[in-house]
Amino acid sequence: GPDVCGRYASTRGTADLATLLGAQDEAAPVLTEPDYNVAPTKPVAAALVRGDTRRLVALRWGLVPSWAKDPKIGSRLINARVETVADKPAFRSAFRRRRCLLPADGYYEWQPGEGPKAPKQPYFFRPADGSLLVMAGLYEVWHDAEDRPMWTCTVLTTEASDDLGHLHDRTPMVLAPAAWDGWLDASTADPLALLTPAISGSLMAFAVSTAVNNVRNNGPELLEPC
């Protein structure tokens, strides 16, 4: 559907991400390769607080609520709309207590192709200054019948309103470094007040190869402007 922020790129190593996010690197054994085509159900890097420590961990993208009967629901819960996140049963518990940072180089959105049979044209959105894009996320822990935990996450989205809004009507919510502590702190009274839409003149967007349309394709060539 038109709401989906459904692909992104995360190519920095876990040691770099941990340094940038002020976290302990616990994701290294899982996330060993740069990922130029991050898609739902893949493992992604996330910073969250456990105990009193900020940790960089690997989560599966697509939130599975603790009460879900089947983890397949996660592939539909890759985004949480900021307008309803506090009330929606799938997200409200995670929104209150389990918030995370989801680092990225940038994210992809698609425009319809030029002709009726033409493939959709992808665009890559990234910070114009080359800095880390930190998306606001939620995480959840689901247990299977053998009580094995599955850790999953979702990206918060909002309306895109300005210069790049014509390319896509939704955008990830991003967090400036000054907001990271508050977002990760479960006791923050109004976490939504910390969020800003990603698109505010700070992002640039450019067309990239339709190779990214296929989840199996991966590599730096996917980020080359075309």
Side-chain angles (χ1 to χ4, degrees), residues 17-175:
L17 289 176
T19 301
L20 289 165
L21 296 171
Q24 283 186 4
D25 180 6
E26 297 174 9
V30 180
L31 300 171
T32 54
E33 298 294 322
D35 196 337
Y36 297 86
N37 199 353
V38 177
T41 75
K42 277 189 168 183
V44 299
L48 50 82
V49 172
R50 296 191 69 200
D52 291 326
T53 307
R54 187 180 299 181
R55 305 165 194 269
L56 186 76
V57 299
L59 303 177
R60 185 176 185 260
W61 186 18
L63 187 132
V64 179
S66 59
W67 43 259
K69 297 283 184 284
D70 186 334
K72 287 196 184 75
I73 192 176
S75 60
R76 298 200 305 277
L77 298 178
I78 62 169
N79 295 157
R81 296 175 76 105
V82 71
E83 296 88 347
T84 55
V85 66
D87 306 313
K88 211 170 182 184
F91 300 127
R92 62 191 177 200
S93 170
F95 173 67
R96 281 200 300 274
R97 292 189 286 280
R98 287 177 292 279
R99 298 185 293 270
C100 62
L101 311 177
L102 296 169
D105 298 6
Y107 63 95
Y108 300 96
E109 297 290 9
W110 278 262
Q111 284 269 285
E114 288 296 320
K117 292 273 187 345
K120 288 183 171 179
Q121 173 60 54
Y123 286 78
F124 189 63
F125 291 70
R126 68 167 177 81
D129 62 3
S131 62
L132 190 66
L133 183 76
V134 177
M135 303 181 291
L138 309 177
Y139 72 95
E140 193 56 270
V141 190
W142 178 84
H143 291 87
D144 68 11
E146 278 79 54
D147 206 34
R148 289 174 300 208
M150 178 195 286
W151 291 68
T152 62
C153 62
T154 190
V155 174
L156 265 74
T157 65
T158 189
E159 276 188 38
S161 55
D162 67 355
D163 50 340
L164 300 180
H166 66 281
L167 288 176
H168 203 265
D169 61 347
R170 302 288 295 179
T171 179
M173 275 294 200
V174 297
L175 288 157

